[in-house]
Structures are given as C-alpha cells and as structure tokens.
Amino acid sequence: MLPDFSQPTFDDRRLLPIYDKVQAGERLSYEDGLTLYRSPDLLAIGHMANLVRERLHGNVTYFNVNRHINPTDVCVASCKLCAFGKKAKDPTAYTMSLEDVWARAGHGVSEAVTEFHIVGGLHPELTVDWFCEMLRGLKQRYPQVHLKAFTMVEIAYFHKRFKIPIEEVLRRLKDAGMDSMPGGGAEIFSERVRRIICDHKIDGNEWLDIARLAHKMGLKSNCTMLYGHIENEEDRTDHLVRLRAVQSDTNGFVTYIPLAFHPDNTPLEHVSKTTGFDDLKNIAVARLMLDNIPHIKAYWVMMTPKIAQIAQRFGADDIDGTVVEEKIYHDAGADTSQGLRRNELLSLIRAAGREPVERDTAYNRVQRTESTFAILV
C-alpha cells in the first residue's frame, strides 16, 4: 500500500497537539512556544508555519523598494551586541550634515523608492530639532517617500537627553514627517540577558510602553527579536508572548522581523554564529506564535538571500527590499551585499515558487512602470 502523502509526518510526536491547534486556528500557549523551540523537527514546524502563512497570504511574497539611511554612528551607549556605534572621539566615526542626509537619500530615488528606513546612533549633540529638520527636508524633496524612522530606543534617548515627554517627542517627529517606526532595539526582553548584552539601553518594558504609546498616537511600527547570543528558549518564547500581548492591545505592529546576532567585531565575538536551521526555525515559530501580527519578514541582509528565499516556505511572507546601503549588520561582519536590485528580488521570489508583490510600507500594492510608481489603495 502506498503511503498517504496528504498528511505530514511528524518525527517529534510532541508537536501533534500543536498541529491540532494550528489546524483549528487556536492560539498557541507559552508552553507550546517552548515545545516548538526545543523540537528538532524543523520540517514539521515549517509545515505548520506554512499552513498559517498561506492561510493569511496565499502564495504572495511581499517586497519593497527602499533605502536605508544611517545619519550617524556616534553613540553614547556601549552595547556588547553592537559593532556599529562609536564614541564621538573615534577617528572613524561619522555624522552626516543635513545636506549629506538629503543628498544620500537621493541616491536611491533612481529606482523610485517608496520608503526611507532611518536609524542611527544615540548622538550626544544632535537635537530633536535637528532630526525634525532632517525629516522636513526629506519630505520637501521626496514627498512621495514614506519615512520610517527612529527606534523606541532613540525615542527614549531624546526623552531623557533633552527632558521632553515621550509623547511630545513622538508628536514633534510625527508632525515633521515621521510616518511610521522600525522595530529595532527590542533585542530580547529578558532583563537577565539585557544586563549583559545591552545594559545601556532601555529595558524591555520601556520598549513595549513606547511602542504602545506610539501606536495609540496613530503611528504603526515593526517589531523585532535579536536571537543567537546568550538567550535561551524561555527568553525567546517570553519575548514573542509579550509582543503578542501589546498587539492585542494596540494592533500597531505591522511586521515582525527575527534578527540573527552577528558576533564579529563585537565584545561577544566568541559566540558562534547562527545556522540556517536556527534562522528558519525562528521564522517558523514566530509565524505560529504571533497570530495577530500580519507579516513575518525574512530579512535577507541578515540571513542571506538564499535562506530568506527558503524562509518563504517556512512562514515568512516578506523578504524586505532593495536596502541600497546597509551599515549596522555589515559593521558586525555580514558578508551579504549591501543592496539588491528590484529584479534580483523578483527572481529570488519567483524561484521559490511564490508570486512577488511590490508593496509600500503599509502593504498597499505598488504598480510600477520603468520610471514611476503608483500606490494602489
């Protein structure tokens, strides 16, 4: 008798009750998350994640034409996880002028970018007014481009450094042109871990509180988790459950991006790099646990284009964008390209058997000709 290929084979029988929940559309528990992280049965986990992914997004994989802008790498923090930030006296440190930022942004407009992704170090002298002027200048020059700018950590720094209430910081930046926020700086919410890897940053509850406030002010954001350093399965599961709880309250997270730790050029360079197995499992577990966050991104800069491509069958529905010039991960030793052309992203997605759909930051479809684009809303 031929085997029944319509039913998946689970090498790890502990996953069967979770499979029942996934098929029924039920929320997974913290204990389920731990079971998933501790299981070696990657194909079964990926199968379940793909079921959820296709239930939500069918055969579509999203991408965008974006440009990263990092105005400065000067940073008052000294996080052990970071190879990007430098002290002001470091001869290799840089800080762009406003004119530099505006000009650098224009280098990516040749491909008709729809998003500028703006993050940087915690500079001791650049003021909130300086950043507001930066945003206004970008809006004046590139009014069609969405400005996704400033992590929760940067917002908290502006609040503490200049003694401005967080709500006012957000309002001023929003009024100046900030359209949404990236999800960086979350790292891992475990205080035990944060004390070691990023003790100069806000704690996990503060990150979540700022995200909650931003969402309630009408600003959408992404969210992240940094994995592959000194955290354990309990820390990862707790992180996802806490993100899910905020999302239940605000519905403000658009996309979740798991980020692998790159140890090169950091004080934690003795830590082993993540494997493709780790990267795919973190994508898949996130899709299964984060039932109320619409999109899961496989960030190709971090996990390589090839793994990000495979991730489209393990729960991811987004592969990020053209990026053009990425500094933070490359300073930590990433050996991927600093940017991909739009046609390269199309080829990666199609080769995975998915339908590529160009999107803007809000996941509206983008209709493009050779030199122009229109956002379909």
Side-chain angles (χ1 to χ4, degrees):
M1 179 182 293
L2 291 174
D4 181 4
F5 291 110
S6 65
Q7 294 299 317
T9 300
F10 282 59
D11 293 334
D12 186 349
R13 309 297 290 179
R14 296 175 300 168
L15 298 177
L16 290 174
I18 297 175
Y19 184 46
D20 291 340
K21 284 187 176 182
V22 170
Q23 287 185 304
E26 296 177 14
R27 170 162 286 187
L28 302 187
S29 67
Y30 171 88
E31 289 73 21
D32 294 329
L34 273 182
T35 299
L36 290 166
Y37 270 124
R38 290 171 174 170
S39 173
D41 196 352
L42 180 62
L43 292 181
I45 297 168
H47 174 77
M48 292 189 287
N50 192 57
L51 287 177
V52 176
R53 180 250 200 259
E54 293 190 351
R55 189 184 296 158
L56 292 169
H57 304 292
N59 201 41
V60 164
T61 285
Y62 295 99
F63 72 98
N64 68 341
V65 177
N66 63 345
R67 193 192 206 295
H68 282 214
I69 302 172
N70 307 118
T72 182
D73 65 354
V74 174
C75 190
V76 298
S78 299
C79 300
K80 291 183 179 179
L81 57 83
C82 183
F84 173 71
K86 298 181 178 70
K87 296 306 178 186
K89 293 181 180 179
D90 189 320
T92 66
Y94 76 88
T95 299
M96 298 182 192
S97 67
L98 289 171
E99 290 74 17
D100 288 340
V101 173
W102 300 330
R104 186 67 58 90
H107 294 169
V109 175
S110 59
E111 257 206 345
V113 301
T114 60
E115 173 190 286
F116 293 143
H117 177 118
I118 306 166
V119 298
L122 308 179
H123 197 287
E125 296 177 6
L126 296 182
T127 65
V128 176
D129 289 337
W130 190 93
F131 285 107
C132 286
E133 188 175 352
M134 179 193 75
L135 293 171
R136 283 191 291 267
L138 289 170
K139 277 295 182 187
Q140 289 165 5
R141 290 162 176 78
Y142 316 107
Q144 78 282 11
V145 179
H146 181 106
L147 303 184
K148 185 171 73 180
F150 308 115
T151 65
M152 314 308 165
V153 174
E154 289 170 281
I155 299 301
Y157 177 68
F158 297 150
H159 155 64
K160 293 173 181 176
R161 172 71 177 81
F162 302 107
K163 297 179 173 55
I164 303 170
I166 289 174
E167 186 169 0
E168 184 181 341
V169 172
L170 290 167
R171 179 188 55 76
R172 287 169 62 175
L173 293 170
K174 184 181 178 186
D175 289 348
M178 180 175 71
D179 295 306
S180 70
M181 301 172 67
E187 318 311 0
I188 201 90
F189 294 142
S190 163
E191 292 312 308
R192 172 187 60 82
V193 177
R194 291 182 84 86
R195 281 195 295 270
I196 298 169
I197 67 170
C198 57
D199 60 332
H200 294 78
K201 283 186 178 176
I202 56 176
D203 65 33
N205 287 328
E206 289 177 289
W207 192 99
L208 291 165
D209 287 343
I210 293 171
R212 187 181 286 108
L213 177 58
H215 296 168
K216 292 187 175 181
M217 292 177 64
L219 288 161
K220 298 286 188 180
S221 78
N222 290 339
C223 54
T224 61
M225 178 176 73
L226 186 74
Y227 65 91
H229 39 90
I230 62 169
E231 88 289 355
N232 57 31
E233 291 93 347
E234 289 90 346
D235 299 326
R236 294 181 186 182
T237 306
D238 170 73
H239 190 97
L240 296 179
V241 169
R242 290 167 76 176
L243 287 174
R244 190 171 68 183
V246 170
Q247 182 73 344
S248 292
D249 182 31
T250 70
N251 199 35
F253 292 130
V254 178
T255 306
Y256 169 78
I257 311 109
L259 300 170
F261 177 55
H262 280 230
D264 292 353
N265 305 318
T266 77
L268 296 174
E269 59 186 354
H270 61 281
V271 174
S272 299
K273 292 183 178 180
T274 64
T275 64
F277 191 98
D278 297 326
D279 297 336
L280 291 173
K281 182 185 276 192
N282 273 280
I283 289 282
V285 174
R287 182 64 287 168
L288 291 166
M289 292 295 293
L290 299 177
D291 52 51
N292 55 4
I293 296 180
H295 302 283
I296 305 293
K297 181 184 294 183
Y299 184 35
W300 67 260
V301 170
M302 173 273 291
M303 60 175 56
T304 77
K306 291 180 179 180
I307 296 295
Q309 180 187 44
I310 298 169
Q312 303 307 311
R313 295 282 171 180
F314 280 76
D317 64 281
D318 193 296
I319 202 167
D320 201 63
T322 50
V323 177
V324 181
E325 182 184 34
E326 195 281 339
K327 291 182 178 292
I328 294 172
Y329 261 89
H330 285 87
D331 283 354
D335 55 10
T336 53
S337 299
Q338 288 215 344
L340 289 177
R341 303 292 293 180
R342 182 175 180 274
N343 286 340
E344 292 176 289
L345 289 169
L346 291 171
S347 296
L348 282 171
I349 295 166
R350 287 175 177 144
R354 295 301 192 190
E355 174 196 348
V357 170
E358 184 177 346
R359 60 163 178 88
D360 69 357
T361 309
Y363 284 81
N364 298 306
R365 293 193 177 210
V366 173
Q367 193 171 68
R368 185 178 293 275
T369 64
E370 287 266 335
S371 58
T372 62
F373 67 86
I375 295 171
L376 307 180
V377 294

